[in-house]
Amino acid sequence: MEENISKTPVHVSIIMDGNGRWAKERGLERVAGHAEGVESVRACTEAAVECGVKYLSLYAFSEENWGRPQDEVDALMHLMFKSMLGELSNFLDNGIRFIVLGNRRRLSKELNEAIDDCMARTDGNGRLTLTVFLSYSGRWDILQAARRLAEDIAANPGLDTDDMDMHALDRYLVTAGIPDPDLIIRTSGEMRLSNFMLWQSAYSELYFSDVLWPDFRKQEFKAALQSYSKRDRRYGKVK
Ligand code: FPP
């Protein structure tokens, strides 16, 4: 079902926000908002497949989110673990390649093993690449890329700092091989990037929705794609 969307973005990234407020409005614990948010993840993934989007990226847990109360951090990690295992057959049935990117050294051994397994089993799939950003921040990514690039230049007498161009840095970011996002969506009325894909978002179109993430379903996702299809992207040039 290729809905009535004339120009489909190749890569859509989402800053999923508002789970806590959704729960509070209902007198529930914050974690109930996160659990309901998983249903929106499923709905938006389905919508992305239906619309022919090739890459869907989700900002699930930032480096800064480690500063949340320990019980909320534990609940989010558990939810991630459970959802990933629960969705594996769905990924396999629908040709979805599943990837986790971020500072994986901070994740538990158990979660890392489950991630490795899920990534290996979905590796050959090509209909949609679903990337979950876990323990990720844009500044962390740029810093780790610059550090590794500098180390390689120092270790290789055939290279010098003139080889440190934008394309070279691209290859050291955790997103190497994934095209920059065409569209970045943020839910819940907040209008900022909050340290998400800072390098990669240079020419992304931004879409802000007042809808809280647990209520952001197929219809809302497709409305964002409609808005994107009307944008005039000039990449700093004149048309
Ligand atoms: C932001 O809402 C949401 C998060 C930090 C977590 C998002 C995680 C999920 C939806 C769960 C699982 C994800 C996957 C990929 C299976 P908030 O808590 O900042 O809400 P608030 O701003 O209203 O407090």
Side-chain angles (χ1 to χ4, degrees):
M1 183 170 64
E2 283 269 339
E3 300 286 309
N4 195 14
I5 298 167
S6 49
K7 196 173 62 178
T8 305
V10 173
H11 183 176
V12 178
S13 283
I14 308 182
I15 302 172
M16 309 180 287
D17 198 8
N19 295 352
R21 277 163 285 165
W22 183 93
K24 194 172 177 203
E25 279 174 5
R26 288 160 179 77
L28 302 169
E29 297 290 328
R30 293 176 55 81
V31 65
H34 298 316
E36 192 61 25
V38 174
E39 299 306 316
S40 297
V41 169
R42 187 176 298 119
C44 289
T45 305
E46 277 177 25
V49 169
E50 284 167 15
C51 295
V53 169
K54 301 304 286 178
Y55 295 85
L56 179 64
S57 295
L58 304 171
Y59 198 16
F61 194 90
S62 69
E63 281 279 78
E64 291 75 21
N65 286 156
W66 289 111
R68 290 193 176 197
Q70 193 58 44
D71 58 349
E72 185 175 345
V73 170
D74 292 345
L76 271 168
M77 291 299 155
H78 180 68
L79 200 56
M80 224 68 75
F81 184 79
K82 215 177 68 173
S83 318
M84 195 173 51
L85 296 186
E87 295 302 321
L88 180 58
S89 61
N90 191 358
F91 296 154
L92 294 171
D93 289 348
N94 289 290
I96 296 171
R97 176 166 70 129
F98 178 81
I99 297 180
V100 170
L101 296 179
N103 188 359
R104 287 192 46 194
R105 273 183 287 197
R106 297 188 75 174
L107 307 180
S108 73
K109 185 167 173 282
E110 188 192 31
L111 183 56
N112 268 323
E113 283 172 1
I115 290 169
D116 284 339
D117 183 52
C118 199
M119 283 176 57
R121 290 169 71 175
T122 62
D123 192 32
N125 292 343
R127 197 164 175 205
L128 171 77
T129 296
L130 175 65
T131 307
V132 172
F133 285 77
L134 263 191
S135 192
Y136 173 87
S137 86
R139 287 180 177 174
W140 164 81
D141 193 11
I142 294 168
L143 190 61
Q144 68 79 28
R147 212 175 256 153
R148 289 194 301 125
L149 175 56
E151 279 165 8
D152 281 355
I153 288 173
N156 189 332
L159 296 176
D160 63 35
T161 48
D162 286 343
D163 297 303
M164 204 167 165
D165 63 13
M166 282 194 261
H167 299 296
L169 198 83
D170 260 336
R171 292 194 290 273
Y172 286 80
L173 294 168
V174 289
T175 49
I178 296 176
D180 289 344
D182 300 295
L183 173 66
I184 298 181
I185 299 170
R186 183 170 187 148
T187 61
S188 89
E190 308 290 351
M191 296 190 206
R192 53 183 174 268
L193 288 176
S194 297
N195 218 347
F196 187 50
M197 295 186 118
L198 297 181
W199 176 276
Q200 299 87 339
S201 63
Y203 285 100
S204 303
E205 294 294 325
L206 306 179
Y207 179 87
F208 299 105
S209 164
D210 286 335
V211 176
L212 304 177
W213 177 248
D215 290 327
F216 196 90
R217 299 288 164 95
K218 278 191 183 185
Q219 196 187 329
E220 288 74 22
F221 183 87
K222 289 180 181 179
L225 263 55
Q226 273 296 354
S227 164
Y228 172 85
S229 74
K230 299 192 189 87
R231 307 279 178 99
D232 180 21
R233 302 182 76 190
R234 292 188 296 281
Y235 301 94
K237 303 188 176 73
V238 178
K239 265 194 181 160

